[in-house]
Amino acid sequence: MTTQVYLTRDGRLGRTDDLSARNSWVVLTAPAPEELERVERELDIPPDFLRAALDEEEQPRVEVDGQRVLVLLRGPVLRGDPAFPRYETLPLAVIVTPAHLVTVCLEPMEIVESLAQQGRVHTAKRTQFLMHVMYRTATLFLRYLRLIDRRSDELERSLQHAMKNVELIRLLELEKSLVYFSTSLRANQIVMDKLLRLHLKPGEGAVNGEQASAAVTTEPGVLRLYDEDREFLEDVITENRQALEMADVYSNILSSTMDAFASIIANNLNVVMKFLTSVTIVLAVPTIVASTFGMNVTLPLQDHPLAFWFVVGLTVVLSGGAAWWLGRRGMF
């Protein structure tokens, strides 16, 4: 993927070719080694920061190196067939320096793309930019959770008459997605709480939001948190906590639903087998009667002109009686 650089000019977010432009936002998506080396060299960013999000199993955390901060989150992604999507999570790194913002991810993520397309972020306000990324991550989790809930409802309706495991396997995929979501949301929550307690502290002497968001210090609170940013971060934490609770609730419901519907599938199959067994019994009666009267021995009424109709009538009566008896016992 090509490195993309964005810069806010006159209140509008737009593309630029100047990688080292002050207050720019550099987007790295599945970057090549030479791209990483260029960003590392021109923006003076530790290589560990740039490569952190390139490990698919990397866990959310916060790291500080002088005046550079790495905030690693996990965001939701959609994979597989659009009709039956698979929900997973991938790491997303947000690197904040005194003059630049850098985001790194393994593949295109809706979180980054939506921020770039809507253009509501101000690249000079680095603290607020970080809040926007975290808020967009939490809201995207919520949206995907609602889609999972809607999809699980559809599968539940189809499972009521199912006798195969296809729907059950799809429910299992949704349950796995919820486990991924819960784990990632819980880890993101720890990062947000840590930012609120340690790495974001009230600034002093701020004149406006831009100065506040751009303020960086080498003290324990690397990014200073002002009243405006603190309220935003609290909203982000609330959204993330809501998504975490929804994921836990949906996961518990889905787990119970799968157990119930596994029994329903087995019961549906038993009902079909019971019906087929009853049909077999009813159909066995004409076979027995026909076999009896087809033997090459002396039989009653064998010389009677209505013998054939007598056999047919006897077969109908016996088959009807067997069907009535089985029906009374709920076999049909």
Side-chain angles (χ1 to χ4, degrees), residues 24-274:
S24 62
W25 168 27
V26 181
V27 179
L28 296 173
T29 304
E34 54 271 16
E35 292 179 298
L36 292 174
E37 292 174 2
R38 180 191 173 198
V39 173
E40 176 187 347
R41 182 178 62 257
E42 295 189 19
L43 304 187
D44 189 27
I45 296 177
D48 292 344
F49 281 16
L50 291 173
R51 291 168 175 78
L54 301 182
D55 180 3
E56 192 169 344
E57 304 301 324
E58 198 72 31
Q59 293 302 308
R61 65 179 186 274
V62 178
E63 289 187 14
V64 180
D65 184 352
Q67 293 187 327
R68 294 156 298 190
V69 183
L70 166 67
V71 179
L72 191 66
L73 305 169
R74 291 194 71 89
V77 292
L78 222 57
R79 288 177 174 172
D81 185 357
F84 305 103
R86 186 174 72 257
Y87 300 88
E88 297 180 1
T89 62
L90 284 177
L92 170 64
V94 182
I95 303 169
V96 183
T97 73
H100 301 92
L101 291 162
V102 181
T103 56
V104 188
C105 50
L106 273 170
E107 61 184 58
M109 298 183 68
E110 187 175 343
I111 301 167
V112 177
E113 293 176 351
S114 61
L115 285 174
Q117 291 173 1
Q118 293 184 7
R120 296 180 180 178
V121 295
H122 199 299
T123 54
K125 301 179 180 181
R126 285 175 281 282
T127 301
Q128 288 187 12
F129 178 88
L130 178 60
M131 301 300 131
H132 276 290
V133 172
M134 293 190 294
Y135 184 78
R136 191 61 54 90
T137 301
T139 54
L140 191 59
F141 269 117
L142 284 170
R143 181 156 67 85
Y144 283 175
L145 283 168
R146 294 188 183 97
L147 292 176
I148 290 175
D149 183 49
R150 191 177 307 129
R151 180 62 185 153
S152 65
D153 289 341
E154 294 173 359
L155 288 174
E156 287 174 18
R157 287 193 291 269
S158 62
L159 270 170
Q160 293 177 6
H161 306 288
M163 287 175 289
K164 297 182 179 180
N165 292 328
V166 177
E167 288 83 1
L168 208 57
I169 291 173
R170 288 172 181 164
L171 274 180
L172 178 60
E173 288 289 337
L174 293 182
E175 187 178 24
K176 287 171 58 180
S177 300
L178 289 173
V179 173
Y180 294 147
F181 279 18
S182 296
T183 304
S184 299
L185 284 165
R186 194 167 285 108
N188 287 353
Q189 187 72 35
I190 294 174
V191 169
M192 295 174 187
D193 292 338
K194 187 175 182 180
L195 285 172
L196 184 62
R197 294 194 312 269
L198 302 178
H199 292 282
L200 295 173
K201 69 175 187 177
E204 299 175 358
V207 177
N208 54 53
E210 182 170 348
Q211 293 176 339
S213 299
V216 181
T217 178
T218 55
E219 298 175 5
V222 176
L223 292 175
R224 293 188 176 182
L225 183 67
Y226 294 82
D227 292 339
E228 177 184 356
D229 302 322
R230 179 176 292 276
E231 292 177 1
F232 195 0
L233 180 56
E234 289 173 352
D235 291 340
V236 172
I237 292 175
T238 300
E239 289 289 318
N240 192 82
R241 187 175 292 114
Q242 180 184 352
L244 178 58
E245 292 173 356
M246 285 178 61
D248 288 340
V249 170
Y250 289 167
S251 182
N252 292 333
I253 293 175
L254 202 55
S255 179
S256 302
T257 301
M258 286 185 62
D259 293 339
F261 278 104
S263 301
I264 289 176
I265 290 177
N267 183 67
N268 289 343
L269 185 59
N270 290 337
V271 170
V272 172
M273 294 303 297
K274 182 174 66 173

